[in-house]
Amino acid sequence: MPQPFLIDDETPPPQGATLHGCAFAEADAVLGTDGLAALESEGRVLDWHADGCHLLVRRDGDRIALGADFAGYRHLFHWSDGARWAVCDSFIDLVAHLRARGIALEEDIAQTGAFLSRKQLFQQLTSAATPVKGISCLRVDERIEIDADGLRIVTAPPAPERPYAEALHAFLELWLARMEGLRRAEGLTLFIHLSGGLDSRAVAAFHLWLERNRDLPENATIRSLTDDSHAEDLRIAERLAEATGLRLNHIDPRPRRNLTVDEALAAWRHHSAGVYSPVRVPSAFSHPADINFSGHATNGYKYRFTDEEADRRVRVMERSYAWFGHGDRPRWRAALRAELDRLAGRGGSLGQAWAVYQRTQRARFHAGQAATYKTQVALFHSASAAAAAEARPQDAPDYQFYHDILAALAPDLMELALDDPRKAPGPEHRAALTAVAPLAPEPGRVYGAVPSQGEGAADAPSRLELARALLAEIDAAGWPKGRVSLIFRWHLFRLRRDLARGRARHAVRLRHLHAAWLLGRLRALGVRMEGEA
């Protein structure tokens, strides 16, 4: 089980450099602190905001610096009050720690109100603000520096601009080199998830290029889920495999490490509580040597947004804010608009800011949630992918980035049906295809070793067991009076009735459990709630 990363002015990190998780240094994979030490023994330095899923901490005397991966999968929450400070990779654990130190905390009803909203645009934090005043979530382009003067936030400079064809070529070659390096590493297995969509097909194109152009070990396979809910995706994957000669599901994953109910809820609380509203509670952890490549892209890569479209989407969010209970819409709106203004200052318009917002908010919490219980590589959530997307011509049609990738790596994949005909390449896409220079990737290396999986429970808990256990926590804590609407109570009644009948809804449908749990847990921890003495 992963333990919370938590440091404060009374318990600073050890001297030297520490890497929690996995990172990429150019084409090379770096696993943990041992891998970091091996890399730096060669005179190399791991960059801040490197691709991967990790926390990087450096301490030199009284000076401490720390940051997370480029996509922000590993969330960092920070609080400071002059000389006192604390940083943790779990929001709810940081709240509990600060309260245990006797530090007074106050609910930010503008942000708890967001979790009482009815649109799925509210599935995650909508700005750097959190449900507790004074605690912020580190943005994806920021890192933390601490010295005798206290804690401060350092923002990374924007990446230098480069022509689209050049940025596209760099993205393709870098990820081919990384994937080949992992293929050549002993003891690893790569699973390339394939559904009917365009994101996963573009990722599969990297695998297909390597299969056709390199002689590699038999340690990778295209994987498509086989349960009833993914039946259409499987049919499309089978047609792709038949047309291209790719083998499908011919390698089985290693056994997973089952969690107990308590372990599973602890993992959910650590990563999702107060941050990501769908109740996706992991019942097992995949073996860390199974490397899962997936699409997990966002609308920020697929579409161009006009300023009018972006403004309309923001207004939809504003109308659905706090539908199920009380909030503070003006303060929440101000925080969201400030976040978009910040991004617009870099991208030049509200439409471009909204596209970046899609990538830097939903991506980090949605795709990053899965990265907590399996070794996941989402190559679109990388610096090179962002650079290529930012450099696209402004008049490029929707989905052009993906069709450029397919055309460069596996043109035959462009001709096979997708789950939505609108994603298929039309005449406008084919006319706009960008030619790239010949690809000649140099495979990377792997520094460090995969951590031990550890022993697990005999059986993994069911979603029903986990939802019932979470409901029991809600019943034990309750929530502040007068804070939720009758329709919210009706949803909780329906969830309670379903659970009593042995039915657990989809994670998104369970989000009301999260909102109810959050209000009760903050109150139980001694956070001063709005409207209470």
Side-chain angles (χ1 to χ4, degrees):
M1 282 290 298
Q3 296 299 311
F5 168 85
L6 196 156
I7 59 174
D8 64 10
D9 53 284
E10 297 180 346
T11 54
Q15 294 285 344
T18 307
L19 180 69
H20 303 264
C22 55
F24 284 101
E26 298 173 342
D28 301 322
V30 185
L31 309 180
T33 300
D34 290 343
L36 178 63
L39 180 83
E40 297 192 337
S41 70
E42 299 178 357
R44 300 171 62 186
V45 176
L46 181 66
D47 292 336
W48 295 108
H49 310 296
D51 294 339
C53 179
H54 65 271
L55 301 177
L56 175 61
V57 186
R58 298 187 185 279
R59 181 183 175 193
D60 182 7
D62 293 333
R63 300 179 66 87
I64 301 168
L66 61 158
D69 53 88
F70 176 82
Y73 282 171
R74 291 293 295 267
H75 316 143
L76 278 174
F77 300 90
H78 55 92
W79 170 91
S80 63
D81 178 19
R84 298 186 301 176
W85 55 267
V87 181
C88 185
D89 64 346
S90 166
F91 165 72
I92 205 69
D93 288 325
L94 179 56
V95 172
H97 175 75
L98 293 173
R99 290 295 302 130
R101 285 188 61 178
I103 295 170
L105 297 175
E106 182 179 349
E107 173 198 13
D108 188 341
I109 195 173
Q111 302 308 320
T112 52
F115 286 104
L116 290 165
S117 301
R118 68 184 180 94
K119 288 289 185 181
Q120 289 192 27
L121 288 165
F122 288 94
Q123 285 190 348
Q124 62 282 312
L125 292 177
T126 51
S127 70
T130 72
V132 169
K133 293 179 180 179
I135 296 178
S136 298
C137 182
L138 193 71
R139 296 179 177 92
V140 296
D141 60 348
E142 297 174 336
R143 71 176 188 272
I144 295 171
E145 291 188 355
I146 304 166
D147 56 22
D149 295 327
L151 182 152
R152 64 182 177 276
I153 304 301
V154 178
T155 302
E161 296 182 1
R162 60 199 309 186
Y164 175 58
E166 181 183 322
L168 176 63
H169 182 272
F171 164 66
L172 297 173
E173 201 161 74
L174 179 62
W175 278 104
L176 287 170
R178 289 174 174 177
M179 189 179 287
E180 182 174 355
L182 293 172
R183 288 284 300 268
R184 294 188 181 279
E186 186 176 351
L188 301 181
T189 306
L190 276 62
F191 294 91
I192 295 87
H193 176 69
L194 181 62
S195 64
L198 195 52
D199 305 324
S200 66
R201 186 170 304 189
V203 177
F206 285 81
H207 173 65
L208 183 53
W209 190 95
L210 290 174
E211 290 290 289
R212 289 172 172 175
N213 293 278
R214 294 289 194 265
D215 182 16
L216 295 171
E218 293 295 325
N219 64 341
T221 185
I222 292 289
R223 185 165 186 245
S224 186
L225 301 181
T226 56
D227 57 66
D228 291 342
S229 63
H230 297 88
E232 181 57 29
D233 286 339
L234 177 60
R235 282 192 288 271
I236 294 174
E238 289 172 336
R239 290 197 292 269
L240 288 174
E242 182 180 2
T244 62
L246 284 174
R247 283 180 291 180
L248 181 66
N249 293 334
H250 79 285
I251 300 176
D252 292 327
R254 295 172 175 86
R256 301 194 304 168
R257 180 189 182 278
N258 294 331
L259 304 180
T260 65
V261 170
D262 289 343
E263 287 175 331
L265 287 178
W268 172 80
R269 286 191 294 266
H270 169 80
H271 189 79
S272 297
V275 176
Y276 183 64
S277 63
V279 182
R280 300 185 187 274
V281 183
S283 60
F285 287 170
S286 296
H287 195 286
D290 286 349
I291 315 297
N292 296 273
F293 279 78
S294 59
H296 270 309
T298 68
N299 292 344
Y301 283 122
K302 295 173 183 174
Y303 314 118
R304 290 289 189 186
F305 296 97
T306 66
D307 291 353
E308 293 75 18
E309 289 171 331
D311 185 65
R312 183 170 62 252
R313 289 170 183 256
V314 172
R315 284 188 279 110
V316 167
M317 292 180 73
E318 292 173 350
R319 287 195 298 270
S320 64
Y321 172 83
W323 181 268
F324 296 113
H326 292 294
D328 187 335
R329 181 182 285 130
R331 282 202 302 112
W332 170 83
R333 180 194 294 118
L336 174 63
R337 291 285 182 172
E339 198 76 16
L340 291 171
D341 287 346
R342 177 179 181 268
L343 296 175
R346 301 173 62 195
S349 72
L350 180 60
Q352 288 174 280
W354 182 253
V356 177
Y357 181 82
Q358 291 282 310
R359 301 202 303 264
T360 57
Q361 288 297 109
R362 177 162 173 74
R364 70 183 304 200
F365 295 109
H366 179 58
Q369 192 270 347
T372 62
Y373 55 84
K374 62 182 177 182
T375 307
Q376 176 175 278
V377 180
L379 50 82
F380 288 114
H381 300 164
S382 65
S384 57
E390 292 291 341
R392 284 175 301 172
Q394 291 297 314
D395 58 353
D398 292 345
Y399 308 113
Q400 186 65 49
F401 182 40
Y402 301 92
H403 293 307
D404 285 340
I405 294 169
L406 294 174
L409 299 177
D412 46 332
L413 290 182
M414 294 178 66
E415 312 307 326
L416 300 170
L418 289 148
D419 58 355
D420 185 343
R422 292 174 296 179
K423 300 176 184 177
E428 71 280 12
H429 297 101
R430 297 181 190 276
L433 288 175
T434 298
V436 297
L439 297 165
E442 288 292 329
R445 294 184 291 168
V446 175
Y447 292 82
V450 172
S452 171
Q453 183 183 29
E455 294 295 325
D459 298 299
S462 67
R463 184 163 61 186
L464 180 63
E465 291 177 283
L466 294 169
R468 282 174 171 168
L470 186 59
L471 182 61
E473 290 189 9
I474 293 169
D475 289 340
W479 62 80
K481 293 182 179 180
R483 291 291 302 279
V484 298
S485 66
L486 287 176
I487 192 170
F488 183 86
R489 293 173 180 273
W490 166 246
H491 278 290
L492 281 183
F493 166 76
R494 291 179 63 203
L495 290 174
R496 190 183 302 276
R497 182 188 62 190
D498 288 345
L499 294 176
R501 294 174 176 176
R503 178 190 174 199
R505 291 170 174 257
H506 185 273
V508 174
R509 292 288 192 91
L510 293 175
R511 68 187 186 276
H512 299 89
L513 291 181
H514 180 200
W517 182 94
L518 178 63
L519 292 171
R521 179 54 63 97
L522 292 179
R523 186 169 181 253
L525 288 172
V527 175
R528 189 174 74 81
M529 307 300 288
E530 185 84 10
E532 293 192 338

